[in-house]
Amino acid sequence: GVPFVLVRDADKKGLRLRVTRAGGKHWQFETRIKSKLFTRALGEWPAVSIDDAQKEAHRLRGLTEQGIDPREVERQQQEAKATADTLQAAKAAQQAKARAAETLTVREVWDDYTEKRRPFWGDLHYQDHLIKAQTGGKPSLRRGESKKLTKPGPLAELMALPLKDLDQARIETWAAKEGQTRPTSARLAWRLLSVFLTWCAEQPEYATLLPAKNPAKTKRAREALGK
């Protein structure tokens, strides 16, 4: 026998219900676009009601009667959505990157700096950067002093700060404090810090976190550390 029967909707041109011998009822829309057959499955009854099927058939017929292929419209919509999703994802990634940059500590950037500049430095200069920024509390590496613990370097208190907070006022306060207790060591630390901040200003990922003028290079900081 016939595997299925098509029941056409007299009111909605192109809409039909495909009834199989097993009793399944499936909505279809069929028409021609520029002499080519276009068929679209609309779902199974009763999950898709006759009202919903008629509305979708009406929408499809409105497009096809204008010579518009619904598949092309849907393809364009999908492309537009994909583009919008890509832009949204890029914006979200940029915002996440900006938030991460906001929390970058001086220590994290200092470590990046020393690692990248190490090939261009002598060993003593590299060691100066480690010693001036050390947190302290570790066994001394000096001969005969292994039982002693290292003291925090002059720059230690600045290392935990977010880089964006390392401004002129903060550095001047630091210089005034360090200048009272260990001016010679602090002067070298200040020079290292100044060069570090100049380097940061030249890096796209860090430049936006700093003021235009190097915050370490101020008369007050220099005077606080003495000659």
Side-chain angles (χ1 to χ4, degrees), residues 153-181:
L155 296 173
E157 69 177 79
L158 301 179
M159 289 291 127
L161 294 174
L163 181 64
K164 68 181 181 64
D165 292 345
L166 195 59
D167 56 17
Q168 178 178 320
R170 188 69 186 79
I171 293 173
E172 288 176 349
T173 299
W174 165 84
K177 175 186 173 184
E178 291 294 330
Q180 294 296 316
T181 56

Side-chain angles (χ1 to χ4, degrees), residues 131-136 151-157 174 178 182 185:
I131 293 169
K132 298 306 178 187
Q134 69 185 6
T135 55
K151 294 180 180 180
L155 296 173
E157 69 177 79
W174 165 84
E178 291 294 330
R182 43 181 171 180
S185 180

Side-chain angles (χ1 to χ4, degrees), residues 137-152:
K138 296 181 179 180
S140 175
L141 297 177
R142 292 182 179 179
R143 184 177 299 176
E145 297 183 1
S146 59
K147 292 184 179 180
K148 291 184 179 181
L149 298 180
T150 56
K151 294 180 180 180

Side-chain angles (χ1 to χ4, degrees), residues 59 70 72-83:
R59 185 187 73 83
E72 179 62 20
V73 174
E74 290 157 6
R75 185 188 64 78
Q76 292 174 357
Q77 289 173 340
Q78 289 171 353
E79 286 183 353
K81 184 180 184 303
T83 300

Side-chain angles (χ1 to χ4, degrees), residues 101-119:
E102 287 283 304
T103 62
L104 269 177
T105 64
V106 177
R107 169 67 67 188
E108 290 173 295
V109 184
W110 183 267
D111 288 346
D112 183 37
Y113 166 65
T114 55
E115 187 64 28
K116 288 177 178 175
R117 298 303 300 167
R118 185 176 185 178

